[in-house]
Amino acid sequence: MQNELPENAKMVFKGELFEVWQWEQKMYDGSTHIFERLKRTDTVQIIATIGEKIILQTEEQPDRPKAFLSLPGGRCDGGEVPLVSAKRELLEEAGYISDNWMLWQKVCPYRKIIWDVHTFIARDCVYKQPPHVDAGERITAHHVSFDEFLKLSQESRFRDKSLAALLLPARFDEIFRGELHKTFFGK
Amino acid sequence: MQNELPENAKMVFKGELFEVWQWEQKMYDGSTHIFERLKRTDTVQIIATIGEKIILQTEEQPDRPKAFLSLPGGRCDGGEVPLVSAKRELLEEAGYISDNWMLWQKVCPYRKIIWDVHTFIARDCVYKQPPHVDAGERITAHHVSFDEFLKLSQESRFRDKSLAALLLPARFDEIFRGELHKTFFGK
C-alpha cells in the first residue's frame, strides 16, 4: 500500500500528535476533490526475550478507564532512527538491554495515516537498571512464555491488532509456530 | 476500549474527513498535558451473500497506485443510521438488495480515532439495478465462495485487517468454520 503524500499536498493543521495534510485530487471523470490524509511520528515496539520468556506489559494511561496489554515501545521522537528509539524505550520502560537486535516487521496500521510501526526483536535481554516511565504511563512488566504470548492474538486487551493477526496462525499451524519460535528466540 | 471524548475536549480543527479534538489531561503526577484524538464519520461494510457466494470487490481510487479488495460499503453521511447506509451502499456499489439484514460486528479499528466500522450481513441478496459509483471509485464485483472469502484473512490487498483477523481462525478450526458459515448463510 502506498504510504506517501502526493507532491502537491500541503499541511493544513499541526496538532500535538497529528498533522493534517490536504491536496487537490483529480477524479476519474476529470473533476477535482480535496483529499485528506494524516501524518504522525513513527513508533517502535519490541519483542524482548529473556531465556524462553518474552516481556509483556500491563499499561495504564490517564485518559483510559481500563488497563491494556502492550509491548515495550514508544515514539521515534525528533526524527530518531527507529533502532535507537527501540533501544531507548526498552531501557526506559523495562530496564533491559540487548546486543542482538533485528527489525522484524514494519507495518502501516491504517492507510489514511502516514505512520509506520516498527516491531523489533531483541534477543537474550539483560537487566540493566530500574525502569523509568513518564507521568503519562503506569506500567507493570510480566515475563510470559511463547505460548502465553501467542494467546495475545485473540486477547481484546492487546491493542496491536496488526501484530495479533501475525501471531494468530501460530496457534493453529505447527510448522508456522516452529518458525516463529525460531524468529523470536533464534532456535 | 473507551471510545468517547472527555467532557472538556474541544474541536481544534475540522478537515474534509477528520476532526481534531484536544483536552487538558491530568497526569499521574498531577501535572497536565494536552491530549489529542481524532473523530471521523462512522462507516459500514456488507458481507452480502447470493446463494453460496459472497460479493467481493476489486476497487481503485485515484490517489492509489494499486487496486485493493474490499466489501461493498462507505460512510454514514449526515448522521445516517448505519443500517440505512449499508442498504444504500449495497445498492449503489453492487446493485443488490436484501430483506435479511443483521449487524455482525462493530469495531473501532484505531484507538486514537473515534470511529466505528459496522459490518453487516445481508443474506440472499437479489439483483435490482446496475451499480452507480461516484467519480472517486472504480469497482469490479466478483462472487466468491466461502473458502475463497476466508483466504482474505491472509491477503495483503484486503484492507480491513480487523475483519481479516476475525476470519483467520476459520481457516484452521473446523468448528469455528462451521459456525461462521452459519452466521453468513444461515445454514
Side-chain angles (χ1 to χ4, degrees):
Chain A
M1 197 67 75
Q2 189 193 28
N3 194 20
E4 285 170 20
L5 290 165
E7 280 183 16
N8 61 332
K10 289 193 177 66
M11 186 171 68
V12 294
F13 182 78
K14 186 176 173 59
E16 294 288 319
L17 277 176
F18 292 98
E19 297 171 3
V20 184
W21 291 71
Q22 293 180 345
W23 68 94
E24 270 209 348
Q25 178 66 49
K26 199 166 178 182
M27 308 299 267
Y28 292 121
D29 65 355
S31 66
T32 57
H33 272 71
I34 302 295
F35 270 37
E36 187 170 275
R37 215 171 292 177
L38 304 162
K39 255 179 115 162
R40 60 161 292 177
T41 308
D42 284 354
T43 53
V44 296
Q45 61 185 355
I46 305 106
I47 295 171
T49 73
I50 304 165
E52 279 286 317
K53 301 280 189 172
I54 296 170
I55 299 176
L56 180 65
Q57 300 181 156
T58 302
E59 194 169 340
E60 290 173 87
Q61 290 181 359
D63 64 325
R64 304 199 170 268
K66 285 184 186 166
F68 55 91
L69 299 172
S70 67
L71 297 175
R75 294 181 214 155
C76 303
D77 288 320
E80 201 175 43
V81 172
L83 178 59
V84 173
S85 307
K87 289 180 175 179
R88 180 179 51 69
E89 291 286 352
L90 182 62
L91 186 59
E92 281 178 15
E93 286 194 352
Y96 279 81
I97 56 170
S98 165
D99 57 11
N100 190 344
W101 284 85
M102 178 180 91
L103 175 63
W104 180 46
Q105 298 281 342
K106 191 175 94 165
V107 171
C108 173
Y110 174 46
R111 68 194 181 103
K112 291 202 194 300
I113 306 179
I114 312 268
W115 165 41
D116 284 323
V117 180
H118 301 78
T119 303
F120 287 90
I121 295 167
R123 288 184 193 152
D124 304 317
C125 292
V126 176
Y127 182 77
K128 167 92 173 174
Q129 64 192 41
H132 177 78
V133 301
D134 72 31
E137 297 169 318
R138 269 184 188 153
I139 293 175
T140 315
H142 322 273
H143 298 174
V144 301
S145 70
F146 181 61
D147 283 346
E148 287 168 322
F149 189 74
L150 295 183
K151 286 186 184 156
L152 293 177
S153 57
Q154 290 170 303
E155 164 60 74
S156 64
R157 290 175 300 151
F158 186 60
R159 61 184 181 175
D160 185 337
K161 298 307 170 196
S162 305
L163 181 55
L166 287 170
L167 300 178
L168 190 58
R171 295 201 63 186
F172 302 101
D173 183 326
E174 280 288 343
I175 293 169
F176 186 83
R177 180 157 63 236
E179 286 168 359
L180 195 66
H181 188 279
K182 195 165 180 184
T183 302
F184 289 177
F185 296 96
K187 59 191 173 189
Chain B
M1 195 69 74
Q2 190 193 29
N3 194 19
E4 284 171 20
L5 290 165
E7 279 184 16
N8 60 331
K10 288 192 177 65
M11 186 169 70
V12 294
F13 182 78
K14 186 176 172 62
E16 294 288 320
L17 277 176
F18 292 97
E19 297 171 4
V20 183
W21 290 71
Q22 293 181 344
W23 68 95
E24 270 207 348
Q25 178 66 48
K26 199 166 181 183
M27 308 298 267
Y28 292 122
D29 66 354
S31 65
T32 56
H33 273 70
I34 303 295
F35 270 38
E36 187 169 275
R37 214 170 292 177
L38 304 162
K39 255 179 115 163
R40 61 161 291 177
T41 308
D42 283 354
T43 53
V44 297
Q45 61 184 355
I46 305 106
I47 295 171
T49 74
I50 304 165
E52 279 288 314
K53 301 281 189 173
I54 297 170
I55 299 176
L56 180 65
Q57 300 182 157
T58 302
E59 194 168 341
E60 290 174 86
Q61 289 181 0
D63 64 325
R64 305 203 168 265
K66 285 184 186 167
F68 55 90
L69 300 172
S70 67
L71 297 175
R75 293 181 215 154
C76 303
D77 288 319
E80 201 175 44
V81 172
L83 178 58
V84 172
S85 307
K87 289 181 175 179
R88 180 180 50 69
E89 291 286 352
L90 182 62
L91 185 60
E92 280 178 17
E93 286 196 350
Y96 280 80
I97 56 170
S98 165
D99 57 9
N100 190 343
W101 285 85
M102 178 180 90
L103 175 62
W104 180 45
Q105 298 281 343
K106 192 175 92 166
V107 171
C108 174
Y110 175 45
R111 67 195 182 102
K112 291 202 194 301
I113 306 178
I114 312 269
W115 165 41
D116 284 323
V117 179
H118 301 79
T119 303
F120 287 91
I121 295 167
R123 287 184 194 152
D124 304 318
C125 292
V126 176
Y127 182 76
K128 167 91 174 179
Q129 65 193 41
H132 177 80
V133 300
D134 71 31
E137 297 169 317
R138 269 185 188 153
I139 294 175
T140 317
H142 322 272
H143 298 174
V144 300
S145 70
F146 181 61
D147 283 347
E148 287 168 322
F149 189 75
L150 294 184
K151 286 185 184 156
L152 293 177
S153 57
Q154 290 170 304
E155 164 62 72
S156 64
R157 291 175 300 150
F158 187 61
R159 62 184 181 174
D160 184 339
K161 300 306 171 196
S162 305
L163 181 55
L166 287 170
L167 299 178
L168 191 58
R171 295 200 63 187
F172 302 101
D173 183 325
E174 280 288 343
I175 293 168
F176 186 83
R177 180 155 66 237
E179 286 169 0
L180 196 65
H181 188 279
K182 194 166 181 185
T183 302
F184 289 178
F185 296 95
K187 58 191 173 189

